[in-house]
Structure formats: structure tokens, C-alpha cells
């Protein structure tokens, strides 16, 4: 397929996902206004200029995603890597589960779990209904719905935001011989690990997460296609179960905004410990207030609407200083759409 046609198909694909995500949220919000209305006085409405800026940044993300694929950072097939089987299987469940999330939000029930789910042994900050989702991160249903829920939240841009870690990771790995080891901290359902495996098949991949159900989902995803399976371990990132100086690269995607400040520093320290001298640590997470003052009202609304108890502190936290205090150097930062990136080196 000629590149111009491939680009057009990709742009159309992304626009379709954006339209579907917007329609999904619009319909459900209008339905909620009827069946489970909430007070909106505490929310700040976004002006038209901010919405237009959001659209431009989303278009810019799509363009960067295409350019990286066209330049060979990752195969163009990744641009169309959508789990359609999960979409058709689980989208009805996302819709049917939404009223439960509305009830938890309205009644301020932030730590509600099924009686069969044990929360023993997990840190208190983790035992939360993040995003008001049923059973937090501790049930099979949550693991099955998560990726689709995030794609709907970001209007089809979650994977393009994840893929922004691949260019700096590839630049580092391509200079190394053998089979460099890469760790994904809080690997969740394995979407990022799959992208790394497809981009850098020579790497030995490792993933760690607190949720056993999300790790099972990751194993399911990564087993669907040929390739060496990453080594997946259930563990707390505050005490990574690896030797010092073990990995050529460490990455983490959408973790730090869900950690209390002191835990955030502990996890960064652990990532420094297990990364080899000369290695890199790459973070993808939410933008912060200093990056986009125009989006400050949206960032103020976000913690309440989606129950993100540590987000407000994160939105003003100095992650660069935290990285440097752990020992990392030459920290580079960038922003794409609603995400922010830090690439830090260990001397």
C-alpha cells in the first residue's frame, strides 16, 4: 500500500476512534443527567478556544505517530493494532458497568470491592476504585475492560501516547549489542510490552505489576502472537525484585499520577537502582499544570470526575527534581497531547 494511502487510512482510523470515543461519552453523560444527575457547580467549563487547542494537539499526536512509523521507529502495523476481539466482546460490558461507576461516584464510595476479592497485602494507596471502576485493579472484569475504557477516555489516543516512549527507547537500545533487558514498571495488561516487543524484538522483556489479574491479561495478550514472552512478576514497585544495575532500560507508563508523593520518590529510587549505569529510564504520564496552563480547569476536574486521589499533587510535582535526587542525569522532557515524557540517564 503506498505511503500516502496508508497515512490516509491511518488518519481515518484515528478519526473514527476519536468520533466513537466522543459519541460514547456524550451519550452516556446525557443519560447520566437523566437517571443519576450530579451537581456540577464545582466543575469548570472549558472554553471553545481550549477545546480547539485540544483538537490541534490531538492532530499533532496523530502526525507524530505517523512520522515515527514512516521513519522506521516501529512497524506501521502497530498503528492499526487494535484489539477488535476485546472491543466487540467487552464494549457492552463497559456500557452496562457504567451505572455502577456513577453510583460509586455519587455516593463517594472509593474503596468498594467484591466480597470474594482479597485486598490483604496491598498498600492502602492501591486499594482504590481508581476511575470509579468496579473492583479497582483487582478483578478479571477490570483487567478485561481497562484498555477499552482508557481508549474511550482519551478518544482513541491512548496507544499513540504510549508509543511516544518507543523512539527514545529505540535510540538507546540500537546502540547496544546482544539482547538488552528492558523492564516495564506497572506493566498492567501488557500493551506497552507488546509495542516494545514489536519494535525491538532483540530485547529481553520484563514486566512487574501489583495486580495478578492484570498480569494474567498481559500474558493472554502477549501469547496471541509469535515472540518471546516477557517475564511477568507480581510485585510492588517500591521494592523491585531485581538485582542492582540489571536493566539496560526501564520504562513506566501512566503510573506516577496514581502514587502518593513519597511513594513516587521511592519507586523512582528503585528504578534507578535496577537500571544499569549508562542505561535510561523513560516515563510516560499525564501532562502537568506548568506544561499547559490552558488545561488547568480540566486538570482540576479530573481527580474528582475519575477518582484520582493523588493527581492534584502530581500535577504540580517536580518529577525532574525527583529523578535527579535519585541520581539520574540529563533529564529530557517533552509533551504530546495529554501526556508528558521524561527520559533520564544513569551515569
Amino acid at each position: 500500500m503506498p505511503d500516502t494511502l496508508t497515512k490516509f487510512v491511518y488518519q481515518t482510523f484515528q478519526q473514527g476512534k476519536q468520533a466513537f470515543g466522543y459519541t460514547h461519552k456524550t451519550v452516556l453523560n446525557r443519560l447520566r443527567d437523566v437517571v443519576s444527575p450530579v451537581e456540577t457547580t464545582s466543575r469548570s467549563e472549558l472554553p471553545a478556544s481550549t477545546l480547539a487547542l485540544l483538537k490541534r494537539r490531538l492532530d499533532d499526536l496523530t502526525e507524530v505517530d505517523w512520522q515515527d512509523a514512516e521513519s522506521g521507529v516501529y512497524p506501521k502495523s502497530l498503528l492499526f493494532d487494535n484489539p477488535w476481539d476485546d472491543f466487540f466482546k467487552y464494549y457492552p460490558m463497559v456500557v452496562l458497568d457504567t451505572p455502577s461507576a456513577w453510583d460509586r461516584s455519587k455516593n463517594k464510595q472509593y474503596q468498594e470491592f467484591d466480597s470474594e476479592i482479597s485486598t490483604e497485602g496491598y498498600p492502602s494507596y492501591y486499594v482504590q476504585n481508581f476511575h470509579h471502576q468496579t473492583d479497582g485493579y483487582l478483578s478479571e472484569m477490570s483487567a478485561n475492560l481497562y484498555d477499552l475504557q482508557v481508549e474511550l477516555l482519551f478518544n482513541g489516543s491512548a496507544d499513540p501516547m504510549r508509543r511516544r516512549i518507543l523512539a527514545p527507547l529505540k535510540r538507546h537500545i540500537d546502540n547496544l549489542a546482544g539482547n538488552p533487558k528492558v523492564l516495564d514498571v506497572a506493566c498492567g495488561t501488557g500493551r506497552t510490552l507488546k509495542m516494545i516487543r514489536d519494535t525491538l524484538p532483540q530485547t529481553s522483556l520484563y514486566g512487574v505489576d501489583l495486580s495478578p489479574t492484570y498480569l494474567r491479561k498481559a500474558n493472554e495478550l502477549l501469547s496471541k502472537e509469535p515472540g518471546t514472552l516477557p517475564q511477568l512478576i507480581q510485585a510492588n514497585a517500591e521494592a523491585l525484585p531485581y538485582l542492582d544495575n540489571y536493566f539496560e532500560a526501564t520504562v513506566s507508563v501512566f503510573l506516577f499520577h496514581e502514587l502518593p508523593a513519597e511513594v513516587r520518590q521511592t519507586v523512582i529510587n528503585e528504578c534507578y537502582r535496577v537500571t544499569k549505569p549508562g542505561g535510561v529510564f523513560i516515563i510516560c504520564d499525564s501532562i502537568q499544570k506548568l506544561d499547559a496552563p490552558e488545561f488547568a480547569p480540566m486538570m482540576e476536574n479530573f481527580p474528582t470526575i475519575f477518582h484520582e486521589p493523588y493527581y492534584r499533587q502530581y500535577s504540580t510535582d517536580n518529577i525532574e527534581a525527583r529523578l535527579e535526587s535519585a541520581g539520574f542525569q540529563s533529564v529530557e522532557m517533552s509533551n504530546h497531547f495529554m501526556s508528558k515524557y521524561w527520559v533520564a540517564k544513569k551515569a
Side-chain angles (χ1 to χ4, degrees), residues 57 61 154 157-158 160-162 164 254 283-288 291 314 334-342:
R57 290 183 65 145
L61 172 67
F154 289 115
S157 68
M161 288 192 289
R162 289 187 183 103
R164 303 283 60 75
F254 299 139
I283 298 172
C284 163
D285 216 298
S286 166
I287 56 170
Q288 296 180 296
D291 304 313
Y314 163 85
S334 60
N335 294 277
H336 295 281
F337 187 42
M338 300 304 294
S339 54
K340 182 171 182 175
Y341 304 81
W342 293 262

Side-chain angles (χ1 to χ4, degrees), residues 179-282:
N179 304 105
K181 295 183 291 296
V182 179
L183 171 66
D184 184 3
V185 178
C187 64
T189 62
R191 291 292 294 169
T192 302
L193 282 170
K194 184 180 184 302
M195 293 174 184
I196 297 173
R197 187 176 67 177
D198 290 346
T199 302
L200 299 163
Q202 75 272 32
T203 54
S204 296
L205 297 179
Y206 298 72
V208 62
D209 201 275
L210 261 175
S211 171
T213 59
Y214 277 59
L215 288 170
R216 285 195 288 273
K217 184 68 175 180
N219 188 66
E220 175 189 319
L221 172 71
L222 294 160
S223 298
K224 288 181 177 179
E225 297 178 3
T228 302
L229 287 176
Q231 296 186 31
L232 304 176
I233 296 179
Q234 183 187 6
N236 190 333
E238 295 178 77
L240 292 171
Y242 303 106
L243 299 173
D244 295 357
N245 307 318
Y246 192 66
F247 296 100
E248 278 78 10
T250 307
V251 304
S252 186
V253 176
F254 299 139
L255 166 66
F256 287 98
H257 72 277
E258 293 192 340
L259 299 177
E262 65 277 7
V263 177
R264 206 174 294 141
Q265 185 65 59
T266 300
V267 173
I268 289 174
N269 293 345
E270 276 293 279
C271 291
Y272 180 83
R273 179 184 66 79
V274 302
T275 303
K276 284 185 176 181
V280 296
F281 178 34
I282 304 172

Side-chain angles (χ1 to χ4, degrees), residues 53-67:
L53 178 58
L54 270 174
K55 180 62 169 62
R56 288 197 299 273
R57 290 183 65 145
L58 183 53
D59 290 343
D60 289 344
L61 172 67
T62 301
E63 179 63 23
V64 170
D65 200 26
W66 165 257
Q67 292 295 337

